[in-house]
Amino acid sequence: MENELGRGGEGSVYAVRANSNAVAKIYHQAITSEKQDKIRMMVNMKSDSLLKFTTWPTDILTDAKGQVIGFLMPKLKGKEIHKLYGPKTRLLEFQNATYSFLIHTAANLARAFATVHENGHVIGDINHGNFYVSDQATVMLLDCDSFQIGTSNRLFKCEVGIPMYQPPELQEITSFRDLTRTQNHDNFGLALFIFLLLFMGRHPFAGRYLGPGEMPIEKAIKEYRFAYSSSAQGMLIQPPPGTIHMKTIPDQLTGLFERAFSKESLRGDTRPKPKEWIEALDRLSDNLIRCSHKEGHIFSSVNKGCPWCELEQKTGVVLFHATIFATSPVNSSFALHQIWKQILGVTSPGLPMKLPTLSSIRMEPDYKLVKQFKRSKTRRRFSAIPIFIGFVTLLAFPTAWFIIVVMTAIVTSTIYRADNSGLKQEFVKKRNEAQQRWDNISSRWLKEASDELFNQKKMRLEKAKQEYEGLDQLRAEKIKQLGVNQREVQLQSFLESHRIDDARIEGIGPSRKATLEAFGIETGLDVTVHTVRQVPGFGPTYTRKLLEWKNSIERKFVFNPKQGIPQSDIVNLDRDILAQRKKLEQELLSGPNQLLQIGNQIKARRSALWPEVEQAARELAQEISNIQYL
């Protein structure tokens, strides 16, 4: 054996000189006879299927007395699974990982569980340190000597477990030593880690509790408070801010999560089994689509838009790198000068015709009106008869002069008004109605027949052309700015390299760390007074402890002016430039057709509206002429 490769609480792992594909685990202290029997039995039970997914013991290592002191196992390849499902560490550790990669990893994790279960064993101690993922999304299970190993006549139990990954029925267990695990217990942990992979490292039971007091993850698990469930509101819990919702995945997967985390999961062996997950995840893999705006954004076809674009915009956190990094155009056949020539070749619909001037429209009064008006003149002449009669009566009865004058005036006025006032009111009403129609159609014409939409689109395309031509300059300016801010960039990168999950902070154990991660606080860079105080259960005391930890890290930072700009920052910058370039190319490519379509629509509206304009103008001119005649 050669150099030490890793050290844990129980033993250390060493390289094996004689076999580069194997490593040796040596226990720090002598193990019990029962543990020795377990290792011997596991070596005898090894199989190709188990060795494909686990670091299963292949040979025992003994001391001079024949006591088991360790064993040989396959050499581990890959990285801890939490470095994959945590967005910030994923960008550093799995730079080419897309959502498709996460789904594939989840399916392979389910295959690993299925293999262990098919061989009659139970994993038991499910935690993020026991699953490793390779760059090909293959999964390996570690610490197999802690599994619950069963044969027809003997059972070696799993004596350890982390509560935040254990099912509700095991939350009050004070010791796992005498507990017989079931595969249904494992199925809870499998569902939990698949959720972590698909939901960007968010623990399914770490949410914002709406009731009184605190709700740590272990308690939430015990009380079935699945934060993303359709019944979460009734459980007084909701997802943390800056998370995706269950509608981003197909209903089949949603149903599996609901089954895995509900009270009904206790009724028999009802939690989804590994094969159910494999089937659902493989189906999801077959129904993925790519984002039209950002390289590296792949998502389920059940979504109407890209959930990653929306989440990145909401949180400011980059979730996936682009699969291709370049500053050259995405579309190699894209030629700006040719596209722009086509855009300029689209003919403008021009200015709309001016509205008719009412005064220029000559309309004769309505024939019926003229005829009726002539009859009215005749009747007006008869209005002199009451006056004549009144005068004669007055001469005959001078003493009743007052009554005679009043009656004569009333009769004369009635005859005159009855003949003229009703007619004028009728035509005033018609004129007002015609005026309203004219105002409405005039307003529509000025709005719908205008070439404003065409000009606006043309201006937007001109702006897109300028932006496209300036992308290289924009990149150069941003690179320069990164150089100016080199110290701050290095400090941020330094803080981001320190994970809270790896830190020892008094009072902040695995459960609280998972809660922080569920609220997007993964590294030292994420720790601020504002972000921490948003997390339920993190008051002034825990905030102070986290800030002290962050400050202790900052004190270790040493600025290196020769280091240059971190490659990860350049990669992220090129990713954004690439996304802008692709978006602008698509906009410019569709420009000629869109301009032509807008122009045709304007012309069509003009053709449809102009007869209405002329009709309304003639009707109003007619009514004006009628009123003037009266």
Side-chain angles (χ1 to χ4, degrees):
M1 288 180 291
E2 295 183 339
N3 57 307
E4 185 178 78
L5 300 177
R7 173 176 287 266
E10 191 180 41
S12 295
V13 177
Y14 297 88
V16 177
R17 183 181 303 173
N19 187 351
S20 59
N21 293 321
V23 294
K25 178 176 179 178
I26 308 295
Y27 293 107
H28 294 153
Q29 299 177 350
I31 58 176
T32 65
S33 59
E34 183 176 8
K35 181 81 170 184
Q36 294 184 50
D37 290 343
K38 183 178 183 180
I39 301 302
R40 288 190 177 96
M41 181 177 289
M42 291 183 72
V43 170
N44 291 331
M45 299 175 71
K46 67 184 177 183
S47 66
D48 291 340
S49 61
L50 285 170
L51 291 173
K52 182 178 180 180
F53 291 106
T54 70
T55 55
W56 197 266
T58 56
D59 287 292
I60 58 172
L61 299 173
T62 60
D63 61 11
K65 298 179 181 180
Q67 298 294 306
V68 176
I69 61 171
F71 56 86
L72 295 180
M73 60 183 179
K75 186 177 182 180
L76 181 66
K77 296 179 180 180
K79 301 170 184 176
E80 298 97 322
I81 196 169
H82 66 79
K83 292 183 178 179
L84 174 62
Y85 62 64
K88 294 183 176 66
T89 50
R90 177 169 61 246
L91 297 178
L92 299 173
E93 304 287 347
F94 293 87
Q95 293 191 4
N96 294 325
T98 63
Y99 193 58
S100 177
F101 187 93
L102 297 178
I103 296 168
H104 193 39
T105 300
N108 282 337
L109 181 64
R111 290 184 176 93
F113 271 64
T115 299
V116 173
H117 290 176
E118 287 166 1
N119 281 270
H121 312 308
V122 177
I123 298 169
D125 182 23
I126 294 173
N127 69 78
H128 66 269
N130 283 350
F131 305 143
Y132 268 57
V133 183
S134 74
D135 290 336
Q136 287 74 44
T138 56
V139 174
M140 292 291 285
L141 308 184
L142 281 66
D143 289 343
C144 300
D145 53 330
S146 71
F147 287 7
Q148 177 177 288
I149 306 298
T151 65
S152 58
N153 55 10
R154 194 167 184 184
L155 182 67
F156 295 96
K157 296 180 180 179
C158 174
E159 299 180 354
V160 290
I162 297 178
M164 61 181 287
Y165 301 123
Q166 296 296 320
E169 62 268 27
L170 301 186
Q171 286 302 315
E172 293 184 342
I173 299 295
T174 55
S175 173
F176 294 99
R177 185 178 300 274
D178 299 322
L179 175 69
T180 299
R181 307 289 185 101
T182 69
Q183 293 181 358
N184 200 41
H185 294 156
D186 273 2
N187 292 339
F188 176 87
L190 173 60
L192 194 152
F193 272 89
I194 291 175
F195 190 92
L196 287 167
L197 285 164
L198 299 187
F199 285 77
M200 306 296 107
R202 306 292 184 159
H203 194 289
F205 290 88
R208 186 180 294 281
Y209 181 53
L210 305 179
E214 293 188 20
M215 183 56 63
I217 289 177
E218 295 86 350
K219 185 178 179 182
I221 293 175
K222 178 185 173 184
E223 297 178 358
Y224 303 93
R225 298 183 189 272
F226 174 31
Y228 299 76
S229 172
S230 58
S231 59
Q233 186 174 1
M235 301 294 287
L236 299 180
I237 198 165
Q238 60 183 210
T243 57
I244 57 174
H245 48 74
M246 294 286 278
K247 291 182 180 179
T248 59
I249 59 175
D251 291 341
Q252 184 183 11
L253 279 169
T254 299
L256 293 180
F257 283 125
E258 293 282 5
R259 276 176 53 199
F261 301 139
S262 68
K263 284 185 179 181
E264 287 69 26
S265 63
L266 282 177
R267 298 175 184 171
D269 192 15
T270 59
R271 291 188 180 110
K273 295 176 176 59
K275 288 187 177 180
E276 294 182 74
W277 288 109
I278 295 169
E279 178 187 350
L281 291 165
D282 285 347
R283 184 174 297 179
L284 174 59
S285 291
D286 293 337
N287 292 278
L288 296 175
I289 56 178
R290 290 186 176 273
C291 176
S292 60
H293 299 297
K294 289 193 176 181
E295 290 289 329
H297 282 193
I298 302 172
F299 51 92
S300 169
S301 59
V302 301
N303 295 272
K304 294 182 179 179
C306 177
W308 312 129
C309 284
E310 181 181 352
L311 191 56
E312 285 186 347
Q313 185 177 9
K314 187 184 299 182
T315 63
V317 176
V318 176
L319 299 173
F320 300 98
H321 281 313
T323 53
I324 302 172
F325 297 103
T327 56
S328 58
V330 177
N331 186 345
S332 58
S333 63
F334 182 83
L336 179 61
H337 67 282
Q338 293 180 0
I339 296 299
W340 191 246
K341 185 177 180 181
Q342 293 176 23
I343 290 172
L344 294 178
V346 179
T347 305
S348 168
L351 293 173
M353 289 186 289
K354 292 184 179 180
L355 290 168
T357 304
L358 294 176
S359 60
S360 64
I361 302 176
R362 300 293 180 181
M363 300 295 292
E364 295 295 329
D366 188 280
Y367 170 76
K368 294 181 180 179
L369 174 63
V370 173
K371 188 175 181 181
Q372 188 173 359
F373 191 73
K374 288 180 178 179
R375 289 199 301 267
S376 174
K377 282 185 176 182
T378 302
R379 283 196 293 269
R380 287 178 190 175
R381 295 190 183 98
F382 288 108
S383 63
I385 295 174
I387 297 174
F388 176 75
I389 295 172
F391 178 73
V392 172
T393 305
L394 181 61
L395 292 177
F397 305 97
T399 57
W401 67 272
F402 179 77
I403 296 174
I404 294 171
V405 170
V406 171
M407 292 300 295
T408 301
I410 291 173
V411 172
T412 304
S413 176
T414 300
I415 294 173
Y416 192 87
R417 282 204 315 271
D419 182 63
N420 190 46
S421 60
L423 186 63
K424 188 167 186 177
Q425 288 176 1
E426 179 184 349
F427 279 93
V428 167
K429 179 181 178 182
K430 289 183 178 180
R431 193 274 312 275
N432 291 341
E433 291 173 350
Q435 182 70 53
Q436 183 65 43
R437 287 193 296 273
W438 170 251
D439 292 343
N440 290 340
I441 196 64
S442 298
S443 177
R444 286 185 61 192
W445 176 262
L446 293 174
K447 181 179 180 181
E448 299 178 30
S450 171
D451 61 347
E452 183 178 357
L453 287 177
F454 184 92
N455 294 335
Q456 286 178 352
K457 181 63 181 178
K458 190 79 169 287
M459 291 174 62
R460 173 56 208 152
L461 290 171
E462 289 176 353
K463 184 178 179 182
K465 175 177 177 287
Q466 293 172 3
E467 290 177 2
Y468 190 85
E469 292 172 333
L471 282 177
D472 290 340
Q473 180 63 28
L474 176 65
R475 181 180 184 275
E477 291 174 358
K478 287 185 176 291
I479 290 287
K480 182 179 179 180
Q481 188 61 42
L482 287 173
V484 172
N485 300 333
Q486 192 175 357
R487 187 186 188 283
E488 184 63 25
V489 169
Q490 283 187 28
L491 175 59
Q492 289 181 2
S493 180
F494 184 74
L495 289 172
E496 200 165 33
S497 68
H498 287 75
R499 286 179 49 82
I500 295 173
D501 196 57
D502 300 329
R504 292 184 179 181
I505 307 172
E506 182 186 358
I508 301 179
S511 178
R512 292 192 178 276
K513 289 177 180 179
T515 301
L516 287 168
E517 188 170 359
F519 280 75
I521 304 175
E522 299 180 46
T523 69
L525 183 62
D526 304 320
V527 175
T528 66
V529 174
H530 174 71
T531 57
V532 176
R533 292 299 294 272
Q534 299 298 312
V535 183
F538 281 77
T541 300
Y542 288 120
T543 302
R544 175 179 53 79
K545 289 181 178 180
L546 283 166
L547 289 172
E548 288 175 352
W549 169 73
K550 178 181 180 179
N551 292 336
S552 69
I553 296 172
E554 287 185 340
R555 287 193 292 271
K556 299 175 185 177
F557 170 71
V558 177
F559 173 60
N560 181 5
K562 297 181 180 180
Q563 180 177 321
I565 302 169
Q567 183 62 28
S568 60
D569 289 340
I570 296 177
V571 162
N572 286 333
L573 171 59
D574 285 344
R575 174 181 185 270
D576 292 339
I577 294 293
L578 181 67
Q580 290 183 55
R581 186 181 298 276
K582 184 176 181 180
K583 181 180 178 181
L584 290 169
E585 284 183 357
Q586 290 175 338
E587 184 176 3
L588 288 164
L589 281 169
S590 61
N593 285 337
Q594 289 182 352
L595 276 176
L596 184 62
Q597 184 179 11
I598 292 171
N600 289 337
Q601 288 174 349
I602 292 172
K603 292 175 182 177
R605 285 197 294 269
R606 288 176 180 177
S607 298
L609 281 178
W610 186 249
E612 296 184 40
V613 170
E614 291 184 317
Q615 178 66 24
R618 286 195 301 270
E619 289 177 355
L620 179 56
Q622 179 67 67
E623 297 304 328
I624 291 174
S625 175
N626 291 343
I627 291 292
Q628 291 174 345
Y629 185 78
L630 290 175

